Amino acid sequence: MADRINVGLVLPDVLGTYGDDGNALVLRQRARMRGLDAEIHRINYGDPVPETMDVYTMGGGEDTAQILASEHLIADGGLTRAAHAGAPILAICAGLQVLGESFRASGRIVDGVGLIDATTAGMQRRAIGEVASTPTRAGITAELTEPLTGFENHLGATILGPGATPLGKLTTGMGNADEAALLDVVDGSSQRAAEGAVQGNVIATYMHGPVLARNPQLADLLLACALGVQLSELEPLELPSVDRLRMERLA
């Protein structure tokens, strides 16, 4: 197992509206608590995206920020190459939409990076409030066993294609799309309780919080993937304050 973790924080200057930068901080801290050397590398708008990071995180932003992020990531290609090389990627909210096939922003359809088989249009009403789900344990998330919890705040109706699987099955909240957005979807019934997406080594979700602060098992799964080991091989961390926070939110 490697003794160093490099966390790539992707475009925090344009996709940093909702405090999702905190996910990179959680990864760094949980790695350091296990005696690993861990550093965060900020990859700002206009910077080339290095393909050498062990794990990548990207957050949420508004329409203009989404368009800028998508155009930059498509033109640069570094994140796509890193994904194809097997690096785990966590994308939040607008990050989910940007990594999809297309999304609606500023009144038009914008091409996404194409790492997730998903398209995003608009919802009739905003999804806002607590959201919780049971992990589907699809693909890279097979070892997840604990409920997922976060805070959703979006107007995007994300429909998953056959290449992607939901990250979680909703128990609270709206998730990826409202009923109106699913009316014309052939397999709409299977997506009514969908939250987030998993495809290859990409994990995407609408959960803010930051999501990794509220879901330490998910954080450790990303660390394990970055280290090339199983989640069960990581030394457990005893953090009672985090456990209390989870109990409060899940209640």
Side-chain angles (χ1 to χ4, degrees), residues 130 149 214 240-251:
E130 287 293 311
T149 170
R214 293 180 58 159
S241 59
V242 174
D243 294 337
R244 288 195 298 271
L245 171 64
R246 279 184 57 78
M247 289 178 61
E248 173 189 324
R249 295 304 185 187
L250 288 169

Side-chain angles (χ1 to χ4, degrees), residues 6-72:
N6 291 296
V7 182
L9 179 55
V10 180
L11 306 184
D13 48 344
V14 292
L15 294 178
T17 304
Y18 301 106
D20 299 308
D21 293 10
N23 290 315
L25 295 172
V26 171
L27 289 174
R28 183 179 69 182
Q29 182 62 20
R30 293 185 73 84
R32 288 180 174 178
M33 291 177 74
R34 292 181 168 96
L36 300 172
D37 183 10
E39 297 296 338
I40 296 171
H41 302 265
R42 293 175 61 91
I43 306 163
N44 290 321
Y45 179 72
D47 293 342
V49 180
E51 304 165 41
T52 54
M53 299 292 102
D54 300 299
V55 58
Y56 297 80
T57 70
M58 55 191 298
E62 307 303 330
D63 282 13
T64 300
Q66 283 181 259
I67 295 170
L68 289 172
S70 183
E71 291 175 346
H72 174 64

Side-chain angles (χ1 to χ4, degrees), residues 107-154:
R108 64 187 179 92
I109 301 297
V110 181
D111 289 338
V113 178
L115 292 179
I116 304 172
D117 186 6
T119 58
T120 301
M123 291 199 297
Q124 293 182 343
R125 64 184 180 90
R126 178 173 289 276
I128 184 168
E130 287 293 311
V131 60
S133 67
T134 301
T136 63
R137 305 182 70 179
I140 194 177
T141 66
E143 290 187 90
L144 290 181
T145 58
E146 298 179 1
L148 298 164
T149 170
F151 188 88
E152 60 183 354
N153 183 7
H154 67 95

Side-chain angles (χ1 to χ4, degrees), residues 168-220:
K169 182 178 181 180
L170 280 174
T171 55
T172 302
M174 186 174 294
N176 288 354
D178 58 3
E179 285 292 328
L182 294 170
L183 286 176
D184 298 325
V185 179
V186 174
D187 61 343
S189 61
S190 67
Q191 300 200 48
R192 278 195 175 86
E195 202 296 312
V198 178
Q199 184 166 339
N201 44 311
V202 178
I203 299 174
T205 177
Y206 276 110
M207 292 185 290
H208 300 288
V211 66
L212 296 187
R214 293 180 58 159
N215 299 277
Q217 189 184 53
L218 180 59
D220 285 348

Side-chain angles (χ1 to χ4, degrees), residues 231-247:
L231 174 60
S232 58
E233 295 179 58
L234 286 187
E235 176 190 352
L237 298 177
E238 299 296 331
L239 298 170
S241 59
V242 174
D243 294 337
R244 288 195 298 271
L245 171 64
R246 279 184 57 78
M247 289 178 61

